[in-house]
Amino acid sequence: MKNMKRYKLNRENLDQVLNQWNRKTKVYVPTGEGKDISLMPLLEGQRTEDYINLTLPVKEFVFEQKEKLFSWEKNDDDLEVTNLAHQHAAERILFGVRACDTYGIAFTDRFYLQEFLDPNYRSRRSGTTIIAVNCLRAGEHCFCTSIGTGVFSTVGYDIALTPLGSIYLVEVATQKGQALIDAAALHFTEAEESLMEKKDALRLQVEESFPLKMDLSNLWEDMAKTFDADFWLREANACIACTGCTNVCPTCTCFNVVEENKNLNKGERVRYWDSCQSEHFTRNAEHHNPRDAVSRVRYRIYDKLKYIEERFGYKGCSGCGRCTDVCPTYISIIDIIHATQKAVRENQTPAAVHQTTKIRHEIIDREINMKKGLYTPDIATITRVKQETPEIKRIFMKYDDPELHTNYEYKGQFFQVTVFGEGEVPLSIPFGPDHTDEFVFDFKNVGNVTNVLYHMKEGDQVGLRGPYGHAFPYNALKGRNLIFVGSGVAMAPLRTVIEPVIKNPNDFQQIIILASALRYEKLIYKDEMKEWEKIENVNIKYALKDPSDHIDAHIGYVNDLLPDLGLNWTNTTALVCASPKRIKKVARDLMDLGMKPSDILVTLETHMRCGAGKCGHCKVGSHYMCVDGPVFTYEEMMALPPEY
Ligand SMILES: Cc1cc2nc3c(=O)[nH]c(=O)nc-3n(C[C@H](O)[C@H](O)[C@H](O)COP(=O)(O)OP(=O)(O)OC[C@H]3O[C@@H](n4cnc5c(N)ncnc54)[C@H](O)[C@@H]3O)c2cc1C
Ligand code: SF4
Ligand code: SF4
Ligand code: FES
């Protein structure tokens, strides 16, 4: 706010002011004693000033631990979905918030209100007024001064109070804050300039009194050198994955999504706080989990101290020290920083240095229909189902609202597909830009949601959100040789390019599709491939584990076929979809033949819950696979942390 105003308030009048505000808007104040301090509704004589910090961050007022996203109901043939984000709006004033938590609020504002705006957060946040009261002493594990977010609030508040003897210096940062001052104007008088000097002197004094001071100027370099250091195994062995550290963190934003209160005809989708420290967080289908215990524990620390800042340009840790306070096994972010610095100082670092690099952060600023909300799907009805293989089906569908087809823009790599009452899964777009009046998904029956989807039939209804993600750069492929490498259902994400390529073969040089599966029956798109093969510059080669009478296939891996393709490798782009392990093997062989890693395009599939950069499940290093990917070059993939 321009021309930020400053006032004085007699400390003895504070309760009167709070009571006055409370008549119109519910005021929450610090209540309790010792380390058990929470923001509670204002009650006579209950407010305490004797606290270092709140036990839990104020985040829970704006990002609820558990909240409803939407409800759905079936009446005869009619399925209706209702966005519930607006339910969460409530007016309240949060008083007594410390700098580490106002930083947390500024953090969650930037996170949830930009790049795929979160309607639930906005609903809660717009009714919330934050009044900071600056700290005069530090807790045992406070390190906001080292990290640079404290000791006095600079962001994330509407009004900030600094105790200066018998008065408070009152600084107003927003219109909302000014409205509160105006509502109790009798108690506030304009502050003289000298009070700012007093405030600055007090800040220096408080900063000086902090017992914990760390020099973090070389932290990123030190972390790169200690990515594989021995102490990570010690920390991982100690962690019991209780998720306490993430639950108390003002900058943790991850959530899970589940179906609740459901029967055959109605239900609700609900989100609740989730934690990268829980074992299931990155689990994929068939119980594959790319993150082991060491990478799980290391990820939280790297995320807070590096990845978030690398991705968004603002700090991911406010230095509140709560995660250290709460850990039952004494895992401490502070001790880990010290261990990192000690290992570098004593030259005990492993030979390999892991340095993640910036990939690309184009903001996909898609307009969110606020009435519908980010998480509410549109309804589509299944028009046809085709059995592709014994485990894979092609499912065709149309939006119930034809306008959604008219307005559809082919911009993205996947949709979030809802089976009402069961859940939501990411499925790739296996069709090209011409396919606007009917959508198709090819999927394998692997778990809860895909199993119910697998048994759905013509006339059944599902939900669609999307499209999401960065797609393959179709136009950049023109004039080049193309190799598509995919096994089984992993051909589906490639088909979004194959389809338009097959329609315009003259735009390309050689088009080679390397299709593989364990057995012939498991090959996807068998019928179409026979048609595609008839095109002059299209060459389809098969690799199977077991021989088949139906096709002439190489018995072994697709990699074996690469050397005999006889391509001009410098004018070739490869598009590969497989597990990270298989991708690495194919890419290595392609590079041995002379391809550049930037000409190998891969699509990386991780556990996804929201598709829109919010739930955190898909994050690898500083990248959200759902919005920064899932399509990357192999060069970019190699810059991700080695856990992938
Ligand atoms: C960008 C992207 C595109 C995909 N495209 C396709 C496709 O076209 N065809 C296809 O068959 N499969 C595709 N998958 C994989 C598909 O999403 C999973 O098989 C599916 O989520 C499994 O859910 P489930 O409930 O059946 O399995 P469960 O094992 O019961 O999974 C429970 C939950 O874990 C998560 N999960 C489990 N496995 C995965 C996974 N591999 N990827 C992401 N989240 C997972 C989901 O959120 C799921 O709801 C894609 C995945 C991603 C990330
Ligand atoms: S990581 Fe720990 S110290 Fe940093 S903001 Fe979160 S809880 Fe506080
Ligand atoms: S609080 Fe400690 S034990 Fe619990 S998940 Fe966090 S680091 Fe692990
Ligand atoms: S952040 Fe939710 S899926 Fe990527």
Side-chain angles (χ1 to χ4, degrees):
M1 185 176 136
K2 276 187 193 156
N3 304 324
M4 188 171 87
K5 287 202 169 166
R6 298 190 191 110
Y7 300 89
K8 280 189 300 192
L9 169 69
N10 271 332
R11 285 180 78 164
E12 61 190 24
N13 292 343
L14 177 62
D15 281 322
Q16 282 182 53
V17 171
L18 292 173
N19 281 320
Q20 195 163 336
W21 286 340
N22 197 40
R23 272 179 230 132
K24 188 158 177 269
T25 309
K26 201 165 187 172
V27 176
Y28 290 77
V29 294
T31 307
E33 55 185 48
K35 287 192 167 181
D36 191 10
I37 306 289
S38 36
L39 280 188
M40 300 294 281
L42 180 67
L43 273 181
E44 191 73 36
Q46 300 281 310
R47 183 174 71 82
T48 180
E49 291 188 2
D50 183 19
Y51 67 102
I52 289 170
N53 206 351
L54 306 167
T55 312
L56 286 176
V58 290
K59 177 184 82 181
E60 61 173 341
F61 284 87
V62 284
F63 170 42
E64 274 263 306
Q65 294 194 9
K66 185 172 178 181
E67 65 187 4
K68 293 173 183 178
L69 297 177
F70 67 84
S71 63
W72 60 275
E73 186 158 5
K74 263 187 212 165
N75 286 312
D76 302 323
D77 284 344
D78 202 22
L79 179 69
E80 206 174 318
V81 178
T82 311
N83 173 23
L84 299 178
H86 63 279
Q87 276 198 347
H88 310 306
E91 297 277 321
R92 60 260 166 123
I93 297 168
L94 307 182
F95 176 85
V97 183
R98 301 303 198 196
C100 51
D101 281 357
T102 60
Y103 180 81
I105 289 290
F107 178 95
T108 46
D109 282 354
R110 285 178 288 203
F111 182 80
Y112 283 120
L113 300 178
Q114 291 175 16
E115 222 182 308
F116 291 104
L117 189 150
D118 184 294
N120 292 56
Y121 182 88
R122 191 175 81 163
S123 217
R124 288 184 189 285
R125 181 67 179 97
S126 56
T128 306
T129 307
I130 308 279
I131 303 185
V133 177
N134 284 325
C135 281
L136 299 186
R137 63 197 160 108
E140 188 188 352
H141 299 129
C142 294
F143 61 101
C144 60
T145 52
S146 303
I147 210 121
T149 55
V151 60
F152 287 177
S153 286
T154 54
V155 285
Y157 62 87
D158 298 288
I159 300 174
L161 270 57
T162 308
L164 295 172
S166 61
I167 60 144
Y168 284 112
L169 168 67
V170 179
E171 293 170 273
V172 182
T174 64
Q175 300 284 3
K176 227 196 268 180
Q178 187 61 50
L180 276 188
I181 301 293
D182 295 345
L186 270 181
H187 294 285
F188 295 92
T189 51
E190 219 158 286
E192 54 272 28
E193 199 54 39
S194 61
L195 288 184
M196 283 307 284
E197 285 161 25
K198 277 194 180 161
K199 177 191 163 189
D200 286 343
L202 180 66
R203 182 174 48 76
L204 290 176
Q205 196 184 318
V206 179
E207 279 174 10
E208 197 48 43
S209 72
F210 262 55
L212 192 56
K213 293 191 182 73
M214 295 185 283
D215 175 5
L216 304 180
S217 46
N218 288 324
L219 189 61
W220 284 16
E221 290 81 11
D222 293 351
M223 286 166 76
K225 289 179 194 157
T226 50
F227 190 83
D228 288 323
D230 292 344
F231 64 78
W232 287 115
L233 184 60
R234 187 185 68 217
E235 302 295 335
N237 283 340
C239 177
I240 55 169
C242 69
T243 73
C245 49
T246 51
N247 280 330
V248 296
C249 179
T251 62
C252 274
T253 46
C254 295
F255 58 85
N256 203 356
V257 180
V258 292
E259 313 295 297
E260 281 197 354
N261 303 325
K262 54 176 182 168
N263 59 33
L264 281 180
N265 294 320
K266 60 180 187 177
E268 289 167 346
R269 182 164 295 159
V270 168
R271 77 166 168 202
Y272 60 86
W273 290 1
D274 203 356
S275 169
C276 61
Q277 297 306 284
S278 70
E279 193 274 333
H280 75 267
F281 195 76
T282 47
R283 185 184 70 77
N284 282 349
E286 291 159 343
H287 297 281
H288 168 64
N289 196 340
R291 214 176 262 162
D292 63 14
V294 169
S295 42
R296 181 172 56 73
V297 169
R298 182 176 52 205
Y299 170 77
R300 177 176 71 89
I301 305 296
Y302 271 65
D303 198 38
K304 296 291 160 189
L305 299 176
K306 183 167 190 268
Y307 296 153
I308 289 174
E309 197 171 343
E310 224 169 29
R311 173 70 171 78
F312 296 105
Y314 44 85
K315 295 210 178 292
C317 171
S318 75
C320 74
R322 287 188 182 97
C323 54
T324 300
D325 287 339
V326 82
C327 179
T329 64
Y330 307 107
I331 292 174
S332 157
I333 190 167
I334 300 154
D335 290 349
I336 291 174
I337 293 172
H338 286 147
T340 302
Q341 294 175 329
K342 181 167 179 277
V344 174
R345 217 171 34 243
E346 295 176 358
N347 220 6
Q348 293 167 0
T349 56
V353 168
H354 178 68
Q355 189 89 56
T356 51
T357 52
K358 245 187 155 163
I359 299 182
R360 71 172 157 230
H361 299 307
E362 291 159 37
I363 293 182
I364 317 173
D365 220 355
R366 287 184 202 164
E367 208 182 315
I368 307 289
N369 176 339
M370 288 311 294
K371 195 160 162 263
K372 194 163 60 120
L374 176 58
Y375 306 109
T376 316
D378 291 304
I379 299 166
T381 300
I382 296 173
T383 49
R384 271 184 294 160
V385 179
K386 180 182 174 218
Q387 189 83 42
E388 271 288 333
T389 78
E391 301 153 314
I392 300 172
K393 279 190 173 170
R394 291 210 96 189
I395 194 162
F396 298 74
M397 59 187 71
K398 279 179 191 270
Y399 281 126
D400 284 14
D401 176 358
E403 256 195 44
L404 291 170
H405 281 291
T406 316
N407 298 336
Y408 169 69
E409 272 188 90
Y410 177 76
K411 237 181 10 177
Q413 178 68 15
F414 67 97
F415 272 86
Q416 290 287 112
V417 180
T418 284
V419 175
F420 291 100
E422 202 57 50
E424 193 178 43
V425 290
L427 292 181
S428 307
I429 299 175
F431 49 86
D434 297 351
H435 234 104
T436 52
D437 57 343
E438 188 182 50
F439 293 165
V440 188
F441 296 98
D442 300 311
F443 68 96
K444 189 172 171 189
N445 179 359
V446 290
N448 298 333
V449 179
T450 48
N451 184 44
V452 181
L453 193 61
Y454 191 82
H455 291 100
M456 289 179 108
K457 48 189 193 319
E458 190 184 324
D460 286 343
Q461 286 170 306
V462 296
L464 289 183
R465 290 195 297 125
Y468 293 119
H470 278 278
F472 288 107
Y474 180 78
N475 285 332
L477 305 176
K478 288 183 182 165
R480 296 178 69 81
N481 297 313
L482 301 183
I483 310 181
F484 297 91
V485 185
S487 175
V489 79
M491 286 299 281
L494 305 180
R495 193 177 165 147
T496 188
V497 180
I498 295 175
E499 227 182 66
V501 164
I502 291 292
K503 281 188 185 153
N504 305 286
N506 296 335
D507 288 351
F508 305 89
Q509 301 288 318
Q510 289 299 306
I511 301 160
I512 295 171
I513 300 176
L514 302 181
S516 64
L518 289 176
R519 293 194 312 278
Y520 173 74
E521 296 70 39
K522 291 187 173 238
L523 273 177
I524 190 173
Y525 310 143
K526 289 188 276 291
D527 301 339
E528 286 99 330
M529 290 222 228
K530 283 179 195 147
E531 291 304 310
W532 299 343
E533 226 164 5
K534 293 176 187 162
I535 300 168
E536 202 188 334
N537 57 340
V538 176
N539 188 356
I540 300 184
K541 291 190 176 291
Y542 300 94
L544 299 175
K545 184 165 175 283
D546 298 337
S548 161
D549 294 337
H550 299 279
I551 47 168
D552 182 16
H554 166 72
I555 305 304
Y557 287 115
V558 277
N559 304 43
D560 309 335
L561 299 167
L562 297 173
D564 294 334
L565 293 178
L567 293 172
N568 168 4
W569 294 104
T570 53
N571 189 34
T572 299
T573 300
L575 296 88
V576 187
C577 181
S579 66
K581 204 165 142 195
R582 286 293 312 148
I583 289 176
K584 284 176 191 168
K585 286 194 172 134
V586 172
R588 188 198 54 207
D589 287 357
L590 287 170
M591 289 191 302
D592 282 350
L593 289 165
M595 278 191 73
K596 287 193 289 189
S598 53
D599 287 338
I600 303 169
L601 303 176
V602 300
T603 165
L604 298 180
E605 297 187 355
T606 51
H607 186 130
M608 292 188 185
R609 284 285 170 188
C610 71
K614 293 286 174 269
C615 75
H617 283 261
C618 70
K619 203 169 172 200
V620 181
S622 54
H623 303 288
Y624 290 85
M625 297 294 111
C626 62
V627 291
D628 299 335
V631 172
F632 292 95
T633 66
Y634 188 63
E635 187 179 30
E636 291 166 338
M637 180 179 166
M638 292 318 288
L640 295 173
E643 69 207 52
Y644 280 82

